[in-house]
Each structure stands twice: as structure tokens, then as C-alpha cells.
Amino acid sequence: MKILVELSVAATLALLSAAGAAAAAPGEVGVLPGVVPDSVPDNVPGSVPGSVSPGASSAIAWRAFQAGRPVVALQHYRVAAAQGHPIAQHNLGVMLMQGIGTSARPVEGVGWVRRAAEAGVAQAQRALALLYEHGHHLPRSHEAAARWNRRAAEQGSRDASVDLATQYLLGRGVGQSDAEAARWYERAAALGDAGACYIVASFYEKGTGVSPDPLRAVYWYLQAAARGETGAQAFAEAIIDRLNAI
């Protein structure tokens, strides 16, 4: 058993050396969402809103936003959003909710974010989940937050995966399920969330929502330690010591 454990740890350390922490999805900042980036070719003119395609207008808006010209960005986002560009709809909604480049108009802003979410923009889906969870510009609803977190998580949103897992763990807005909590925490851990790595490790150590698996517990504790989780390394070493004593 000692050889098996040592080989497993060596493989884990090799994986850790080859992998870095995954970055959070753009736009997932705080209770309110952030403006998400778009790209634009250098040869696309951008002086007149509506003079180019919706995608190019959205990208030009992003470039103006980055340059500290929110009024110009808002003009281009509004044109692109009206033509059905989902990223522009999300970003227009964010700017209206937060009063960036204009006076705050949260009702209109939420409407644009919802249109983007329904069109499949993960950041907009995550934004609606946050707004419902905190009762910010929308009536508080844990059930609605869970629905939108699920849609965003299914598209790879790390933060939505964490929140959906926590909702299952607590039975908040969904039926309580340790197995579903474990599944979504592990998804978030695989996307680089340090806290999720730690939680998944403890689940595998204790058999919460999953079959007990000390080697997987070691792996995820070491992943958590590599991402700065205090105490995770000690938990991994404690499991290794127990296995080596068998």
C-alpha cells in the first residue's frame, strides 16, 4: 500500500506542476456583473454607431469602454443590442444598471441582461442568479437563482458551479442533495476554484455525497494547497500517513 500511495502523490505533484489556477470567467465580479470583453479588428472604423455590423459595433464599444469613454461605449452597445447581439445586450444592461455612461436605469438594465441570458450568455445567466440571490433590482428568489446558476454552470461558469453546489448542500432553492453538491463542487474544482478543491477533498475523505476515496482526497487537498488554501497540505499528509500505516 505504501508504494501505491507514494506513486499517487508523485503523479499528483506532477499534475500540479503542469497546471495553473483557472481564471474566473469575465464579468463575474461582486453582486453586480461586470462588462465582458469583445474583440475588434484594427481596421474596423468605429466613429458612427450603426455603420458596421452588430458584432463589430459591440467590439468597438468594448474598445471605447477600455479607453475610458463610457458614453461612446454605451451608444455602440445600444445599437448592437437592438440588433440582437447578445454580448452587447449584456453589457448594455450592466452599464444601465450601474449608471455607467448614463444615469442608472436598473429596470431597463435588468431587461437587457435577461435578454442576453435567454440568448445563452453565461455571464448574463450568472448575473441574473446573483441579482435574484441578493434581491438586487429583482425580488429575492433562491429558486430563480438556482435555475440561472444551473444554466451558467452548464456552460462552464466556475462561480455559478460553486454557488449551485452550495445551494444543493444547504437545500436552498433546490432539494438538498450531497451527491449533487459534490458533483458541482468537483466541476468548480476542475475549473480551478481553490475553495471547491478543499471541499471536494473533504467529501472524498469523509464520503459526503461520494464514495470515500483517500487517494482522490489527497489529490484535491494538494490542488487546494497549490492554490493557497491554508491547512490543505497538512490534511493531505495526514491521509498519506494513515494509508502508509496500513
Side-chain angles (χ1 to χ4, degrees):
M1 182 56 135
K2 182 174 182 179
I3 294 174
L4 177 61
V5 172
E6 289 177 347
L7 286 174
S8 175
V9 173
T12 298
L13 292 174
L15 286 171
L16 288 175
S17 66
E28 297 189 356
V29 181
V31 173
L32 285 174
V35 173
V36 301
D38 214 330
S39 59
V40 59
D42 291 336
N43 61 349
V44 174
S47 58
V48 181
S51 63
V52 294
S53 69
S57 289
S58 180
I60 293 166
W62 169 246
R63 189 163 62 188
F65 183 85
Q66 284 187 303
R69 301 164 62 207
V71 174
V72 174
L74 189 74
Q75 291 172 346
H76 284 282
Y77 277 139
R78 187 174 287 283
V79 170
Q83 293 176 325
H85 192 276
I87 294 294
Q89 291 171 345
H90 169 76
N91 288 341
L92 174 62
V94 168
M95 295 180 74
L96 290 171
M97 279 193 292
Q98 300 190 35
I100 301 173
T102 183
S103 58
R105 295 201 285 277
V107 174
E108 183 185 358
V110 170
W112 283 111
V113 170
R114 187 179 297 278
R115 287 177 68 173
E118 290 170 348
V121 177
Q123 290 91 343
Q125 293 165 349
R126 169 69 176 153
L128 280 183
L130 286 170
L131 296 176
Y132 275 118
E133 179 72 19
H134 295 276
H136 200 74
H137 299 322
L138 286 169
R140 175 168 286 183
S141 171
H142 295 312
E143 292 77 12
R147 288 196 299 272
W148 287 109
N149 269 329
R150 178 179 295 280
R151 291 181 66 172
E154 287 172 346
Q155 293 201 76
S157 169
R158 186 182 70 182
D159 291 350
S161 297
V162 171
D163 279 3
L164 183 60
T166 302
Q167 289 185 278
Y168 273 113
L169 186 65
L170 301 177
R172 187 179 66 203
V174 292
Q176 198 284 330
S177 171
D178 288 345
E180 282 296 295
R183 181 165 78 92
W184 288 107
Y185 276 133
E186 189 155 13
R187 180 83 66 90
L191 292 170
D193 187 89
C197 291
Y198 195 102
I199 292 169
V200 169
S202 70
F203 279 16
Y204 277 115
E205 182 181 10
K206 300 171 184 177
T208 303
V210 293
S211 299
D213 189 328
L215 297 184
R216 284 182 180 270
V218 168
Y219 171 81
W220 285 117
Y221 275 133
L222 290 176
Q223 290 278 2
R227 289 161 173 77
E229 283 292 316
T230 304
Q233 181 76 31
F235 278 114
E237 291 172 356
I239 295 173
I240 293 168
D241 289 343
R242 291 198 300 269
L243 292 174
N244 285 340
I246 296 176

